[in-house]
Amino acid sequence: MERIASFQVDHTKFGVGMYISRIDGDIVTYDVRMVKPNGGVYVSNPSLHTIEHLFATYARNSEYGSKVVYVGPMGCRTGFYLLTRDLPHEDAIKLVRDAYSFVASYDSEIPGCTVEECGNYLEHDLEAARKDVLPLLKKLEGYTVEMLNYTWHFDQK
């Protein structure tokens, strides 16, 4: 089998940030990286699950909601994938920054967190989720479209 695109990126050369993982026609897959790959610190499952509920709810209810195809966690627990259709990169950055700001300040019931709505409704951690989004929020301050390219970060070392 061929190696998929995400396995062809050298995970030792980038860290916290937002990157274009791939473009398939009009769908862009963003790599929303919350912690350094293989850095020894990973997002806990309860925190990741809570961020997923809040990120997806925010993104699909935002002004860009009709352009959001998918929001989901990475199995390696280092971040999320965001798939969009026909959304300019500047707006994708704004969406992630706004969504993570929403998570950082959220203080209410987690949406979709009942036995009827969620397959693992008891495994959530809002306090950890609010803390875990902060490094990416800091990194996205002043983020530009140019910075969405993995190799831009390789060149900065």
Side-chain angles (χ1 to χ4, degrees):
M1 287 190 235
E2 291 183 33
R3 280 180 37 206
I4 62 173
S6 62
F7 296 161
Q8 295 179 36
V9 176
D10 186 343
H11 285 61
T12 66
K13 294 187 176 182
F14 68 95
V16 175
M18 182 174 170
Y19 312 94
I20 295 172
S21 176
R22 58 184 295 144
I23 298 175
D24 300 287
D26 63 346
I27 296 179
V28 177
T29 300
Y30 294 97
D31 172 338
V32 181
R33 202 60 69 147
M34 297 173 57
V35 298
K36 181 172 177 41
N38 301 303
V41 174
Y42 305 96
V43 183
S44 72
N45 282 325
S47 176
L48 201 67
H49 192 193
T50 300
I51 295 165
E52 176 193 15
H53 278 236
L54 294 171
F55 186 5
T57 297
Y58 182 90
R60 291 195 174 107
N61 283 282
S62 74
E63 62 186 294
Y64 310 116
S66 65
K67 298 175 186 286
V68 173
V69 176
Y70 174 75
V71 174
M74 296 176 176
C76 60
R77 298 183 5 243
T78 61
F80 283 82
Y81 288 113
L82 169 66
L83 280 70
T84 64
R85 173 178 280 130
D86 298 325
L87 183 66
H89 298 313
E90 297 88 356
D91 292 339
I93 295 168
K94 181 182 183 324
L95 172 60
V96 172
R97 193 171 31 234
D98 292 351
Y100 275 51
S101 291
F102 172 76
V103 174
S105 64
Y106 193 80
D107 192 26
S108 190
E109 288 186 31
I110 300 165
C113 191
T114 67
V115 67
E116 295 85 9
E117 300 167 308
C118 178
N120 193 4
Y121 78 103
L122 294 176
E123 188 176 61
H124 284 275
D125 188 339
L126 181 57
E127 184 178 330
R130 288 193 300 246
K131 178 180 77 58
D132 288 342
V133 297
L134 297 177
L136 181 65
L137 265 176
K138 178 77 174 150
K139 185 71 168 195
L140 291 179
E141 291 174 10
Y143 221 73
T144 65
V145 170
E146 178 183 52
M147 296 165 77
L148 291 171
N149 187 324
Y150 290 109
T151 59
W152 184 90
H153 297 271
F154 300 169
D155 297 338
Q156 299 306 304
K157 303 227 183 259

